[in-house]
Amino acid sequence: MVKIKPFSVEKWMDDHELTAEYNIAETCCSSLSLQDLKSLSIDQSQEPISTAKKLTYGAIPGSKPLRSNIAKLYDESDSQLFSADDILITPGAIAANHLVLYTLIGPGDHVICHWPTYQQLYTVPESLGAEVDLWRASEEKGWLLDIEELKRMVKRNTKLIIINNPNNPTGATLLLSLLEQIIILARAHNITILSDEVYRPLFHSLPCTHPSPPPSIISLNYTKAIATGSLSKAFSLAGIRVGWIASRDPDILQACAEVRQYTNISVSSVDDQIASYALGPNVVQNLLARNTKLAKTNLAILDKFIEEHAGICRWVKPSAGTTAFVSFWREGLPVDDVVFCETLQKEVGVMFVPGSTCFGDEYAFKGFVRIGYACETDVLIDGLAKLDGFLRSNYGRIPLAT
């Protein structure tokens, strides 16, 4: 029997999100209804789904229209380097990541994983018998990664380097210069790269010193590169459960497809239709514009709040995605983030995710919380107002971390 650690962040979400009055822990851009989605289309005569279409399994790897629309997301110009054949559809990015890891990793392999990040990316390889080392980013360095450290971590049996760009929970961006160095290292050692890009392309707040969004890892001319993505985060459609694996290596995609036959067969044909519509030329640009504006607007609101409470909280301001990693302090020491999150939700209905439990280990990220700021703007404003009241009246009751 395969033994795997509890999935801390997902358990926390399961236990808390349905009772939260102000859910500012959610990582998706504010969700859309089918009616909302249609309102973004430049062709109002087109419907998101056909009610006359038979509900068969559909195309097993995903419909060609859907896979072609996803392939276009990776073309940085009109060069059309990517096609439907480079895409395999899965039920969400979580299934895409799991499928890649299950297909490629086993006992005796060594995996290096960008950290902090979504727990799946390092716990699943570990459960499959791999040795996993964490490539650690730190708040003190702006959540940047050190390529020299990565070089020292590579071993004879290193099979996979995993990155998360944009990063969850920090909202940090891995820039082109670093991606190119990772590829040089991976090519020299014949290492596959997996990039979880589920928050791509929400590069909404890049610094003026690096204003251009980095390309996907699969756009950088390295065949053994894999990207995963989904409709959940940047596209506001978590409810349709559509994700994908993208790679220029047909052998990787074929291997994943063969393993996938034991699990999912295909995604829902209804979900496939809606996803094809959302990523089609009549909708996708308006959808991304809507969510980029939402993220920028809400990040500015959160930035103002943190500035006003600089005596008790701090952050490295996110440059992309939908999440921020904020640390709360008192008397120069971090607070107990688990007690803080539990008390905050119980007393004023505001939901955060505790960093030490959901992203750290025994020692890391005490006092940190993850905030999902791309919810409805009114929810963020009202939730922060409740948080402000709690901090003024009850923050002193929160114990310090031990």
Side-chain angles (χ1 to χ4, degrees):
M1 173 177 158
V2 173
K3 294 190 176 182
I4 191 167
K5 296 174 182 176
F7 202 158
S8 299
V9 69
E10 293 301 338
K11 186 177 188 308
W12 186 273
M13 297 296 288
D14 286 348
D15 291 345
H16 294 84
E17 65 183 330
L18 294 182
T19 59
E21 187 175 357
Y22 306 98
N23 184 350
I24 45 180
E26 176 58 67
T27 58
C28 303
C29 286
S30 178
S31 297
L32 294 169
S33 67
L34 289 181
Q35 182 176 331
D36 296 332
L37 185 63
K38 184 179 178 183
S39 72
L40 295 172
S41 178
I42 61 175
D43 180 4
Q44 288 295 299
S45 68
Q46 184 184 18
E47 296 294 334
I49 59 173
S50 167
T51 57
K53 188 172 182 179
K54 301 292 185 182
L55 297 179
T56 66
Y57 282 115
I60 300 305
S63 70
K64 188 164 186 179
L66 174 56
R67 290 183 293 121
S68 296
N69 286 343
I70 292 170
K72 291 173 186 174
L73 298 175
Y74 294 98
D75 280 322
E76 304 293 330
S77 63
D78 295 328
S79 55
Q80 297 183 336
L81 294 175
F82 298 93
S83 73
D85 293 337
D86 301 315
I87 309 297
L88 179 65
I89 303 302
T90 63
I94 191 169
N97 288 333
H98 195 282
L99 185 57
V100 170
L101 295 170
Y102 187 88
T103 301
L104 299 183
I105 299 303
D109 291 331
H110 177 236
V111 174
I112 299 171
C113 185
H114 177 185
W115 186 80
T117 191
Y118 196 50
Q119 183 185 338
Q120 178 196 33
L121 296 175
Y122 50 91
T123 295
V124 170
E126 187 177 62
S127 75
L128 296 171
E131 175 191 4
V132 179
D133 284 327
L134 301 177
W135 187 18
R136 298 170 184 259
S138 67
E139 181 191 23
E140 293 75 15
K141 296 181 180 179
W143 302 117
L144 299 178
L145 291 166
D146 184 347
I147 191 65
E148 296 303 320
E149 181 181 352
L150 179 62
K151 292 176 182 178
R152 291 190 292 270
M153 296 173 73
V154 171
K155 300 181 179 181
R156 175 190 52 78
N157 61 333
T158 302
K159 185 76 172 292
L160 187 66
I161 296 170
I162 303 172
I163 57 176
N164 176 205
N165 194 30
N167 179 258
N168 169 23
T170 68
T173 299
L174 305 184
L175 298 175
L176 173 60
S177 57
L178 178 63
L179 298 178
E180 290 176 332
Q181 292 178 80
I182 295 171
I183 285 177
I184 290 170
L185 181 64
R187 182 178 280 120
H189 295 273
N190 196 34
I191 299 169
T192 302
I193 303 170
L194 169 61
S195 181
D196 180 332
E197 298 177 352
V198 73
Y199 294 93
R200 181 180 175 81
L202 286 182
F203 297 103
H204 48 75
S205 301
L206 293 170
C208 58
T209 52
H210 296 91
S212 298
S216 168
I217 196 70
I218 66 168
S219 300
L220 295 175
N221 196 32
Y222 183 51
T223 304
K224 298 187 69 172
I226 305 165
T228 55
S230 88
L231 272 289
S232 298
K233 310 300 184 184
F235 298 95
S236 299
L237 294 171
I240 65 170
R241 307 311 302 137
V242 171
W244 60 85
I245 301 168
S247 180
R248 300 295 299 279
D249 188 332
D251 293 335
I252 288 176
L253 289 180
Q254 181 61 32
C256 289
E258 290 176 358
V259 170
R260 182 177 175 276
Q261 291 171 342
Y262 283 96
T263 56
N264 305 119
I265 302 180
S266 65
V267 301
S268 158
S269 58
V270 174
D271 291 356
D272 190 300
Q273 285 187 67
I274 297 169
S276 300
Y277 177 89
L279 296 180
N282 292 330
V283 179
V284 66
Q285 294 305 321
N286 286 343
L287 175 53
L288 286 174
R290 177 251 192 196
N291 287 350
T292 299
K293 180 181 178 181
L294 176 68
K296 286 177 69 71
T297 298
N298 288 9
L299 184 60
I301 293 168
L302 183 57
D303 188 23
K304 184 173 184 291
F305 180 91
I306 289 177
E307 284 184 4
E308 291 172 349
H309 297 79
I312 57 174
C313 63
R314 69 175 187 234
W315 69 347
V316 176
K317 185 177 178 181
S319 59
T322 65
T323 62
F325 213 31
V326 181
S327 60
F328 283 81
W329 296 70
R330 198 179 71 249
E331 302 168 17
L333 296 170
V335 300
D336 185 319
D337 49 285
V338 175
V339 174
F340 178 42
C341 290
E342 288 175 339
T343 306
L344 184 65
Q345 183 163 344
K346 181 179 179 181
E347 296 193 2
V348 299
V350 174
M351 180 182 172
F352 288 156
V353 169
S356 64
T357 296
C358 297
F359 295 95
D361 51 25
E362 186 178 354
Y363 305 105
F365 309 133
K366 292 181 179 181
F368 279 85
V369 302
R370 186 187 71 183
I371 299 175
Y373 57 83
C375 52
E376 293 286 350
T377 301
D378 288 348
V379 172
L380 181 66
I381 291 172
D382 293 346
L384 291 178
K386 291 288 186 179
L387 173 61
D388 177 70
F390 178 88
L391 293 174
R392 292 179 187 277
S393 60
N394 295 319
Y395 188 58
R397 293 193 290 109
I398 302 299
L400 299 176
T402 56

